[in-house]
Amino acid sequence: EARSIAVKVAQVLAFAHERNIVHRDVKPENIRIRRDLGSTHVKVLDFGIARLLKDAGVRLTGEGMLTGTPRYMSPEQVRDEAIDGRVDQYATGLLFFEMLTGTAAISGNNVAQILKNQLRLQVPSLASVDPELASPSVDAFIAKACAKSPEARYATMAEFIVALQELEVDEKGWPVPRPPPGEA
């Protein structure tokens, strides 16, 4: 289910990227899931801070102002560097990790610490959160999607989708996601 949701989120973002639009604020609060008659519908909301790539040289925010949610911001957003669709890929990879583990991949005690951690910390392995979730192939996929350098990530969201759909899991199958805190 986590993979299916991540694929659907990525498909929406790929559609936007094909039209030169980057969301820049992919986070759980901007994803809506509706289940009916055996099907799952996923919507990506709030393109309010989206940026047209052809206008990437035009500042939409004031100097020194962050655009996005620190827990899901890519390193290039934190450094206020040029961006492309790979910022959305980074955030989607973090969301996928969170769906599987029930915990944030990158966190901190305050905004400054979270931003610093986005720049220096790698996404932990699933097994470091819960040994029952161990899956080297899923870890490798997330590590590539959330690489600190955009050049080390999948070239496009379409490539991200293919890799996620074709992901071979270990012999024990997909890791079973942990319920979010407060749900058991």
Side-chain angles (χ1 to χ4, degrees):
E1 187 177 30
R3 175 167 63 171
S4 174
I5 291 167
V7 165
K8 289 175 182 178
V9 167
Q11 288 170 334
V12 170
L13 296 168
F15 182 84
H17 295 170
E18 288 167 7
R19 284 144 187 84
N20 295 315
I21 298 169
V22 178
H23 190 286
R24 301 193 304 164
D25 196 23
V26 176
K27 60 185 176 183
E29 295 83 359
N30 286 339
I31 308 298
R32 291 292 177 264
I33 300 170
R34 182 180 52 120
R35 291 180 177 89
D36 60 18
L37 301 172
S39 128
T40 301
H41 304 276
V42 177
K43 292 185 178 185
V44 178
L45 308 175
D46 196 6
F47 276 77
I49 66 165
R51 174 179 280 183
L52 286 172
L53 287 178
K54 66 179 183 170
D55 297 331
V58 178
R59 291 188 76 86
L60 299 181
T61 56
E63 189 171 335
M65 293 184 69
L66 291 176
T67 305
T69 302
R71 187 162 282 158
Y72 304 95
M73 287 176 73
S74 67
E76 59 271 29
Q77 283 176 283
V78 172
R79 291 188 296 264
D80 196 25
E81 296 174 348
I83 62 161
D84 60 23
R86 292 173 291 188
V87 302
D88 292 342
Q89 180 188 137
Y90 182 91
T92 304
L94 294 177
L95 284 175
F96 186 52
F97 177 91
E98 197 167 324
M99 284 189 279
L100 292 171
T101 65
T103 63
I106 306 290
S107 61
N109 295 327
N110 55 51
V111 171
Q113 191 175 47
I114 292 168
L115 294 173
K116 186 170 118 180
N117 289 343
Q118 286 292 15
L119 295 172
R120 65 180 185 85
L121 295 181
Q122 300 300 320
V123 174
S125 70
L126 298 174
S128 71
V129 175
D130 182 346
E132 293 291 316
L133 297 176
S135 178
S137 59
V138 176
D139 284 338
F141 169 81
I142 293 171
K144 182 171 175 97
C146 299
K148 295 304 173 186
S149 166
E151 292 78 23
R153 296 180 206 139
Y154 296 98
T156 65
M157 193 59 89
E159 191 178 304
F160 171 98
I161 292 166
V162 168
L164 183 53
Q165 289 173 325
E166 294 179 348
L167 188 60
E168 300 260 343
V169 294
D170 307 328
E171 56 282 344
K172 66 179 184 172
W174 274 90
V176 177
R178 295 171 63 184
E183 292 180 28

